[in-house]
Amino acid sequence: MKEILNDIDRWRDQGQRVAVARVVGLDGSGPRDPGAAMAVSEKGEVAGSVSGGCVEGAVVTEALAVLAGERERGVVTFGYSDDEAFAVGLTCGGTIHVYVEPLDW
Amino acid sequence: MSPSTPDNTGGIFEALEEALRADEPVALATVIAGVGIGAKLVVRPDAAPRGTLGDPDLDRVVTRDALGELEAGLTVTRHYGPHGEARERDVEVFIESFVRPPRMVIFGAVDFTAALARAAKLLGYHVTVCDAREVFATPARFPMADEVVCEWPDRHLAKVGPSLGPRDAVCVLTHDTKFDVPAIVGALATKVGYLGAMGSRSTHAKRVERLREVGVTDAELDTVMAPIGLDIGARTPEETAVSICAEIIASRTGRAAPSLRDTEGPIHA
């Protein structure tokens, strides 16, 4: 979180709204531990990361959807779990749970 | 306020940011599923919690748990009942601990020090360079260090030693027994997680003699990583810095540091 503060402050100073995505859980292997954080500005600028690059694109899509009010804040799961295959996964085969919300706090 | 809506009165992020920028320990508890999703508590050891999860009993229980996780430096997800009941799963709370960065104290203001300080910054350490010689211990020579201290090693450690813990490292790079011995003796009296000393095998043999003379025991000598670093054939200050940092990581994780190709089992944890 600390490494993305400067970007968040800059975007908010510009009057942009910001979404924050945080890794909150991991099943199996995963490149980043819980707490890894990524921020996305309204314009689609990105700071930080939640994986080794495997799911960042999909997280940006989710973050922008949250900012646009198209989806509620909540946990998004990437990888394979509960027999349900998601379009985006980790190349290492693990499952990653990412909590995405607007920075409205 | 309805319990299903977060306390978005503002100031939560600012409280978190203030603690993070000051490198002060802080925990952020967020409801990530269930009743009150999005609600937050910012918990600090020496201040009242900020925010609310929507219920005073839940706040009290989560504050207690967050302080415990923060003390251990752990980031976890916990489940509670609506009023903080254990063994219930209505509310899922992500408790994220932010601890101060680990510290590295480097004794000896030499070329190897500059390279090691750069590598340690890359790994997120707060770096202090300490040397008793005024001409060498200057911020101009070590702009990458957080702090450059002109002081004898034993005196500096008398000051900062009590705050050093298992996540911290002391690297003794002077290879001059006049400075090495007080630095190692001083560091042995702390709870520092890694203590390494630079020098050839013969330099170290002489240093061991001096350390024994001043009363350092064999058990204490066993904890000193000397000659410092992993055996990767490092020559330059930069390569040596990588060898030292790799040894610090391996000593923390308890790994033997072979190539992953030559081992089996999980890469992480």
Side-chain angles (χ1 to χ4, degrees):
Chain A
M1 183 71 92
K2 194 181 172 188
E3 71 283 0
I4 62 177
L5 290 178
N6 287 343
D7 290 293
I8 291 175
D9 284 351
R10 193 178 67 251
W11 297 332
R12 302 225 292 180
D13 286 347
Q14 293 166 354
Q16 288 201 70
R17 289 161 64 237
V18 176
V20 174
R22 285 179 281 159
V23 177
V24 295
L26 211 57
D27 305 321
S29 186
R32 302 286 312 267
D33 284 328
M38 184 171 146
V40 179
S41 78
E42 233 173 320
K43 286 185 192 160
E45 296 152 286
V46 176
S49 77
V50 292
S51 74
C54 325
V55 304
E56 270 72 7
V59 171
V60 171
T61 306
E62 298 294 339
L64 289 173
V66 166
L67 285 178
E70 291 158 9
R71 59 160 289 147
E72 294 291 308
R73 65 177 83 220
V75 176
V76 189
T77 295
F78 300 101
Y80 297 91
S81 67
D82 301 334
D83 299 326
E84 194 178 343
F86 289 79
V88 179
L90 299 172
T91 52
C92 44
T95 301
I96 184 175
H97 306 281
V98 181
Y99 175 71
V100 186
E101 67 174 350
L103 208 174
D104 56 3
W105 35 285
Chain B
M1 191 186 80
S2 145
S4 63
T5 54
D7 171 23
N8 288 341
T9 50
I12 304 286
F13 180 73
E14 283 69 20
L16 175 70
E17 179 166 22
E18 185 193 323
L20 289 178
R21 289 201 185 273
D23 283 334
E24 284 172 11
V26 60
L28 174 65
T30 307
V31 177
I32 59 168
V35 181
I37 185 170
K40 287 182 183 64
L41 261 185
V42 171
V43 179
R44 301 173 70 167
D46 305 314
R50 290 286 299 273
T52 175
L53 303 185
D55 178 84
D57 290 325
L58 180 61
D59 285 349
R60 189 174 41 77
V61 172
V62 171
T63 298
R64 182 200 65 198
D65 290 350
L67 286 173
E69 301 297 353
L70 184 57
E71 179 73 31
L74 295 175
T75 289
V76 298
T77 300
R78 285 170 168 263
H79 296 86
Y80 302 91
H83 307 291
E85 296 90 337
R87 290 181 295 280
E88 292 184 27
R89 302 183 65 86
D90 305 79
V91 188
E92 189 172 347
V93 180
F94 180 58
I95 300 175
E96 194 175 354
S97 292
F98 301 92
V99 293
R100 68 158 173 83
R103 293 205 188 109
M104 181 185 288
V105 182
I106 309 173
F107 290 107
V110 297
D111 280 356
F112 286 92
T113 307
L116 178 58
R118 271 197 300 275
K121 286 309 294 175
L122 180 67
L123 295 182
Y125 282 87
H126 176 279
V127 177
T128 301
V129 173
C130 178
D131 196 305
R133 299 165 296 184
E134 258 174 53
V135 282
F136 296 122
T138 65
R141 295 189 70 221
F142 303 99
M144 72 299 284
D146 295 284
E147 192 184 25
V148 179
V149 180
C150 185
E151 181 78 274
W152 276 80
D154 45 343
R155 294 175 69 167
H156 183 62
L157 282 170
K159 258 183 268 174
V160 305
S163 70
L164 295 176
R167 299 162 59 234
D168 304 317
V170 170
C171 299
V172 181
L173 305 191
T174 33
H175 48 55
D176 175 339
T177 49
K178 181 162 84 246
F179 299 112
D180 284 5
V181 169
I184 293 171
V185 170
L188 282 170
T190 71
K191 294 193 167 67
V192 75
Y194 175 92
L195 169 57
M198 185 175 266
S200 66
R201 293 190 194 280
S202 62
T203 302
H204 185 58
K206 283 181 210 137
R207 190 161 51 199
V208 164
E209 275 175 40
R210 286 287 300 122
L211 287 165
R212 285 216 172 92
E213 282 167 23
V214 297
V216 174
T217 66
D218 285 351
E220 286 174 320
L221 284 171
D222 269 351
T223 66
V224 182
M225 304 304 283
I228 197 170
L230 291 185
D231 182 8
I232 57 171
R235 287 294 301 171
T236 64
E238 291 74 18
E239 289 175 353
T240 305
V242 169
S243 137
I244 294 169
C245 286
E247 181 172 76
I248 292 172
I249 297 167
S251 81
R252 189 195 71 218
T253 57
R255 299 296 182 104
S259 288
L260 285 167
R261 189 193 68 170
D262 300 329
T263 60
E264 290 174 2
I267 295 174
H268 306 292

